[in-house]
Amino acid sequence: MATLEERLQRLEEIDAIRRLKQVYARTLDRFAPGDEFAALFTDDRVLDLGPMGLFEGRPAIAEFFNGARETFSFFLHYTDGDIIDVLPSGTEATGTWYMWEPATRKGQAVLIAITYDEKYRKVEERWLFAYSRSTYHFVTPYESGWVRQPFPADMDAAHGDRER
């Protein structure tokens, strides 16, 4: 059985990863510069956004994020339902999350539902994203709802089921 100190350390690591995810969401929501967003990731980071694309490494992630303003003029990321497991190494972890997002996409109000599957790595005492896969359940126009129109016509939802 783990010692009290080991259990406390594990809880502190999980809390630091939760904080990383909240910084991620707030960085997105305030449209921070792409380099600031990319700094939340390891150098070899993979960001799989399903129908929005696959981005490998910090430069590609920064470029994607800088271009997001062309599609989105507003969003608020609400994350919840996290399950985080710190691996025995103490420097790697996995996590899953739910995300609910009201947004303005190409001038239209939309509601977005995503689940994240992620891997994290502790680098120089700081947790960073090493891998993230977003599975889109819907990006629906507010007026239509996800029953009538789960995805906009110009969004290829099939990529949301991409296996890695």
Side-chain angles (χ1 to χ4, degrees), residues 138-149:
F138 57 78
V139 178
T140 187
Y142 178 78
E143 297 82 10
S144 300
W146 54 86
V147 173
R148 284 191 283 161
Q149 187 179 355

Side-chain angles (χ1 to χ4, degrees), residues 9-148:
Q9 182 64 39
R10 180 180 171 276
L11 291 174
E12 287 178 347
E13 303 297 359
I14 290 170
D15 190 56
I17 293 167
R18 283 186 180 130
R19 179 173 171 73
L20 171 67
K21 188 65 172 186
Q22 293 308 310
V23 169
Y24 170 98
R26 291 172 188 220
T27 301
L28 286 166
D29 293 344
R30 64 184 172 81
F31 289 97
D35 289 343
E36 184 178 331
F37 181 68
L40 300 174
F41 309 124
T42 60
D43 289 333
D44 60 346
R45 162 81 162 132
V46 174
L47 179 61
D48 183 349
L49 295 176
M52 296 184 71
L54 179 70
F55 308 92
E56 298 187 47
R58 285 182 177 165
I61 292 167
E63 182 179 342
F64 159 75
F65 185 65
N66 285 333
R69 291 181 190 137
E70 295 172 16
T71 303
F72 292 93
S73 59
F74 166 81
F75 37 52
L76 284 175
H77 293 76
Y78 295 92
T79 58
D80 195 19
D82 57 280
I83 299 174
I84 300 168
D85 294 307
V86 177
L87 302 180
S89 69
T91 60
E92 295 181 316
T94 61
T96 60
W97 300 80
Y98 291 114
M99 195 273 298
W100 177 253
E101 177 185 347
T104 304
R105 180 183 184 273
K106 297 183 178 180
Q108 181 179 41
V110 295
L111 299 173
I112 302 171
I114 296 174
T115 50
Y116 293 101
D117 293 295
E118 297 178 322
K119 295 179 184 177
Y120 316 95
R121 190 175 314 132
K122 195 171 187 179
V123 179
E124 298 176 7
E125 299 304 311
R126 181 175 172 229
W127 284 99
L128 299 171
F129 293 96
Y131 171 81
S132 181
R133 179 176 185 247
S134 300
T135 301
Y136 284 75
H137 300 283
F138 57 78
V139 178
T140 187
Y142 178 78
E143 297 82 10
S144 300
W146 54 86
V147 173
R148 284 191 283 161

